[in-house]
Amino acid sequence: MLRRDLIAGAAAAAALPRSTIAQGSAARVLKFVPQANLTSLDPIWTTANVTRNHAWMVYDVLYAMDQQFRPQPQMAAGHVLEQDGRLCTITLRDGLRFHDGEPVRGVDCVVSLERWMKRSSMGQKLAGVLEEIAAPDDRTIRLRLRRPFPRLFEALATPANPAAFIVPARLARTDAFQQIREVVGSGPFRFLPREYNSGSFIAYERNPDYRPVERGEPSLLAGPKTAHFDRVEWHIIVDAATAAGALQTGEIDWYEQPPPEIQQLLRRNRQISVEPIDRLKNPALLRFNHLHPPFNDKRMRQALLPAINQVDFMQAIVGTDPALYETMGIFTPGTPLVTEAGMEVLTGPRSIDRAKAMLKEAGYDNQLIRLIGPTDILAPAALTQVAGDMFRRLGVNLDFVLTDWGSVVQRRASREPLDRGGWSVFLTASASFEYADPANNFPLRGNGTNGWFGWPTVPKLEELRDAWFDAPDLEAQRHIAREIQVTALDELPYIPVGAYTSMTSLRRNLQGRVPGFALFWNLRRA
């Protein structure tokens, strides 16, 4: 980006109307530029991270995961395990209320968990051992299991999309494959629907009835969630230079995902901090549609492997500094299950010519391949451009469809064939904890149409996942994780394209940011 473009962007920010970015932010108002537009408000229906960030503002969960991946009580006051772990009774904390003024009741939790279990990778595992879930009274939830499930509270506290958010029963009764349009939670902030303008502006206000847990320290999604701002505004600014200019002048406080060239500019400003948003790196992937040709054929998926250069994908996001990215297999770098098993398909010699030959051997005959991707969100946009260049060099019949991220989120849910608007491939990235193990790695599932967009059917992956849950210790889990990776890099529910450090930028007068992703509790102005 040229210097004159950055100057022009700063000038554009200064010229924005007051209805878009008010001049001189009030001390009790936080102004934020999110990674993308918020088009879906339902965090169970979609796994889009921008919807996840929205959801953690307005919803709460029974248990939440801390930075050490330990489940901690959140809406729950506590629990009792009986019958060798097959009966769990959870008691709610006193005084929990939804944003519409209604108390949080046991039935709300039961119906919310039932909906979540239909879409969540961990929830589906829990559902498989669950005999009954009921609410004996307004403050109690009872789970009766067919057999002990040692990861029960890890499941209820999963940080991976979708989390087990609690909503009123009247909303939770919505089909899990249909979107909830009304936002009513019990979390630290309230969504303001009258101010919601998709593509432009989203607003939240502090929930005066929210009661943080009384013990512990803020740690990822656990601990006290204290809202220090009366109001949080999300300003959708697609142009990076404009967002950077607004951050430099103090018209916004936090820019979630500045691109690398903008980061260099912001680092020269002593009033701005540019820092990793998470302690671990974010995995990225190329996802196939397994329902329709050509990638319903495993040989077609495998043919792309020699063409995948993870360094190219990662440098498109973060630049050339090798400290900011790593090559990876199935599991997040720096986590216990990382293995080199089967990695030769990604780390051996890279060759477009070899990939072309493998496509021909697999029977590729100029079938249409539709690559869908966004232009308005940093990581998926950069990944998609690299993939588009790769497909062009492979000489395939490519339909390269670029839209906004919200449209991609809607379109990737379609199971229609290509002649009815379907898709073949998309690329995205996830939070570090989502790929740390088989429990939370939702794209790794092989459960067909009950799984995540792409819908691979791989019975062996499901069998190995079940065995991993039953493994008695870490060494046994690592042994199974090696088998999982070898199987996944053969069957290819997706192709890993690397892991990167996601950087965020905010005014230095903001203190107390909780690492992980865009979290708004504990954050305060100095």
Side-chain angles (χ1 to χ4, degrees), residues 355-421:
K356 286 181 178 179
M358 290 177 66
L359 280 169
K360 186 175 181 180
E361 292 166 9
Y364 181 73
D365 188 23
N366 208 42
Q367 298 98 317
L368 183 67
I369 293 174
R370 180 169 294 137
L371 169 63
I372 62 172
T375 59
D376 59 346
I377 177 172
L378 173 60
L383 295 169
T384 303
Q385 289 294 338
V386 176
D389 178 67
M390 178 191 73
F391 280 118
R392 290 188 189 101
R393 288 186 291 138
L394 287 171
V396 301
N397 180 11
L398 179 66
D399 183 18
F400 194 4
V401 181
L402 293 176
T403 58
D404 62 281
W405 179 238
S407 297
V408 175
V409 167
Q410 302 288 330
R411 189 168 188 172
R412 70 183 184 180
S414 171
R415 298 178 188 173
E416 295 290 343
L418 296 188
D419 60 2
R420 295 182 183 176

Side-chain angles (χ1 to χ4, degrees), residues 83 117 163 171 224 230 239 260 320 325 360 381 408 507 524-525:
Q83 300 178 13
M117 284 188 285
L171 298 177
D230 292 335
D239 181 73
T320 58
Y325 62 85
K360 186 175 181 180
V408 175
R507 302 286 299 181
R524 59 193 180 277
R525 202 182 305 279

